Amino acid sequence: VVIGANADETGQDVPLTFSDAQYQAFLTTTFQTPAVRAAVADLYSAANFGSSRKAYVALTSDLKFICPSGTIARTLVAAQSEPVFRYFFTEIPDSPTGPVYGAFHGLELLFVFGALDVRGYTPTSAERALSLAMQRYWGSFAATGAPAATGSPAWTPFDAAIDSHLVLDSVSLRMAEGVNTARCAFWAQFGL
């Protein structure tokens, strides 16, 4: 199994005009227990992320995609003998809107299928190299059950004890440990 998430899964879904007032209203209506709301507001504060919009994107990305992908990976490893391979896609396109939307939901598919030339966008050579590596990983996985890409780091099976994963980023394609560890540990106490 290959499983993973993107760093800013909900980045394209949140209006650019998303305000602090909207964020505070979301926190109030979603987390009705004052202690939980305060903990969430502290963990996902605008100060920590640079804006209320970015804090909301981080919160909703963790809650809906990033932390659940770790939970699923751990569950699969415990329940089957077949290996699990986890990834964390952090690539932000080198475009004017790249920093605004981040590594949003579905962006990794453009890299997996080599479809980077969309809407007049001209990918960088580093983005093309990442796309080629991803195509090789996915192709190898489909053919052999183990993702491998010549000239790229070895993608080792998921180790639940260290939350191992492959970081998919044109600047630093590498194996790493822990994806938003402290934030996902917070949600784990609620069974998420």
Side-chain angles (χ1 to χ4, degrees), residues 5-9 11-12 49 53-54 57 88-108 110-111 116 121-128 130-131 134 167-173:
N6 295 2
D8 307 293
E9 287 279 0
Q12 206 172 34
F49 292 93
R53 182 185 179 280
K54 288 181 180 179
V57 168
F88 190 48
F89 184 85
T90 61
E91 180 66 19
I92 297 173
D94 186 24
S95 70
T97 60
V100 175
Y101 297 119
F104 59 86
H105 184 74
L107 180 61
E108 81 285 7
L110 298 177
F111 285 78
L116 302 179
Y121 179 69
T122 303
T124 66
S125 59
E127 289 169 337
R128 288 191 190 279
L130 175 62
S131 177
M134 290 175 67
V167 176
L168 296 168
D169 192 292
S170 66
V171 174
S172 184
L173 179 62

